[in-house]
Amino acid sequence: MKRPSWIHTLAVTLLLTMSTAGVQAGPAPRAALIALNASLAEALELQDQDALGARMLDAVAMDLIGQRVLGNDWQASTPAQREALRTHILALLVNTYSGAMANAEPDEVRYETVKQSARSALVVADVPTARGNTNRVKFHLTARQGRWLVNDVVVEGISLVNFSRASFNSMVAKRGVDGLI
């Protein structure tokens, strides 16, 4: 069997490098999440719900979350309904985040990138609790327009998207999108 030449090895390396270049978003997902959590922790410390909501909104893939939670009902909703749904989903995200991260100092949280591709990543955070235990929080991220955005948060094994899908879909089935809002 013939060994590949250094030119062949270089060519394969360049092709592999070029195939992922330009596809990945901004800083690594772990670094992006650490920066986001520091920013959100500052808003939590100041007890500024408006700043917390604005920072969270800037860091999540809201339309993707809406599509995953409501499916066809998201697509069929009017712009006004989508805006109301975004507000509702954002409130759930803020409450989930606040509950999971409230007692932890940003430098006490340990992050690990578990899985990453060019367009998605899973970052796990071990968050210390007031009782001395740790909660494992999983952040699912997606690459959009050169940035990593959160598209789901899993706290104590419960996915915000899956939980919301189950509760929202039953409400939409009974009362329609307006009944959910």
Side-chain angles (χ1 to χ4, degrees):
M1 186 165 134
K2 188 176 174 183
R3 270 185 28 194
S5 70
W6 70 272
I7 293 175
H8 180 261
T9 304
L10 178 62
V12 169
T13 303
L14 284 173
L15 282 172
L16 289 173
T17 303
M18 289 169 48
S19 69
T20 59
V23 175
Q24 229 166 22
R30 180 180 172 275
L33 192 58
I34 289 170
L36 168 64
N37 283 336
S39 174
L40 294 175
E42 178 186 17
L44 271 176
E45 187 175 319
L46 297 172
Q47 298 181 349
D48 187 343
Q49 289 297 104
D50 291 336
L52 183 62
R55 292 173 188 184
M56 180 74 74
L57 187 59
D58 186 52
V60 298
M62 188 59 74
D63 287 338
L64 179 59
I65 294 171
Q67 289 169 0
R68 290 180 60 207
V69 168
L70 290 166
N72 292 336
D73 291 315
W74 179 262
Q75 298 298 349
S77 62
T78 67
Q81 288 173 324
R82 284 188 190 179
E83 190 55 39
L85 290 166
R86 281 184 192 98
T87 301
H88 194 63
I89 292 169
L90 180 62
L92 288 172
L93 279 166
V94 167
N95 288 337
T96 300
Y97 178 85
S98 298
M101 307 295 274
N103 295 315
E105 294 295 324
D107 61 341
E108 294 176 334
V109 180
R110 300 290 167 240
Y111 300 90
E112 175 187 357
T113 302
V114 175
K115 199 167 40 170
Q116 180 179 349
S117 70
R119 292 185 178 91
S120 65
L122 171 62
V123 177
V124 175
D126 289 321
V127 182
T129 67
R131 296 181 182 166
N133 300 324
T134 57
N135 279 338
R136 183 152 272 213
V137 181
K138 296 179 182 179
F139 294 90
H140 294 267
L141 297 103
T142 190
R144 291 263 171 103
Q145 300 173 339
R147 299 176 50 219
W148 287 102
L149 301 174
V150 176
N151 67 52
D152 195 8
V153 179
V154 180
V155 180
E156 295 183 19
I158 300 171
S159 158
L160 178 71
V161 167
N162 292 340
F163 175 79
S164 298
R165 182 183 308 127
S167 62
F168 286 15
N169 284 341
S170 68
M171 285 186 218
V172 169
K174 291 176 187 172
R175 300 183 213 137
V177 172
D178 285 329
L180 173 63
I181 298 168

